[in-house]
Amino acid sequence: MGLTRILLADDHEVVRAGYRRLLESTHGMEVIAEAASGEEAYNRYCEHKPDVVVMDLTMPGMGGLEASRRILTY
């Protein structure tokens, strides 16, 4: 079975780095993209089409909830 491709979205770089280390230490997981805002998360999702999105719901600008809504209707 192939790798689970993951997009990390959080406005705090240290949080993304922690999730990346945790996820990539798990067999079968690969972080393929990161985003620091909801807008960026939506754009990265459209660009990379990950299997899983780990999204912070409270980010400046378009928050994670709105980005998730847009991703679900993509």
Side-chain angles (χ1 to χ4, degrees):
M1 180 168 238
L3 293 174
T4 300
R5 302 169 59 231
I6 302 166
L7 164 62
L8 296 177
D10 194 294
D11 55 320
H12 297 98
E13 186 175 345
V14 69
V15 172
R16 291 194 317 268
Y19 276 126
R20 176 183 281 277
R21 272 186 249 116
L22 176 68
L23 291 166
E24 289 188 338
S25 69
T26 303
H27 178 70
M29 304 283 182
E30 176 186 25
V31 175
I32 59 165
E34 295 185 20
S37 69
E39 295 91 344
E40 192 178 0
Y42 177 74
N43 291 333
R44 295 284 183 269
Y45 178 84
C46 295
E47 180 182 350
H48 296 283
K49 313 234 181 356
D51 302 311
V52 174
V53 178
V54 177
M55 179 88 69
D56 178 5
L57 296 181
T58 56
M59 292 184 282
M62 181 196 325
L65 192 57
E66 180 59 27
S68 296
R69 285 187 187 119
R70 291 184 187 192
I71 286 169
L72 288 171
T73 61
Y74 176 76

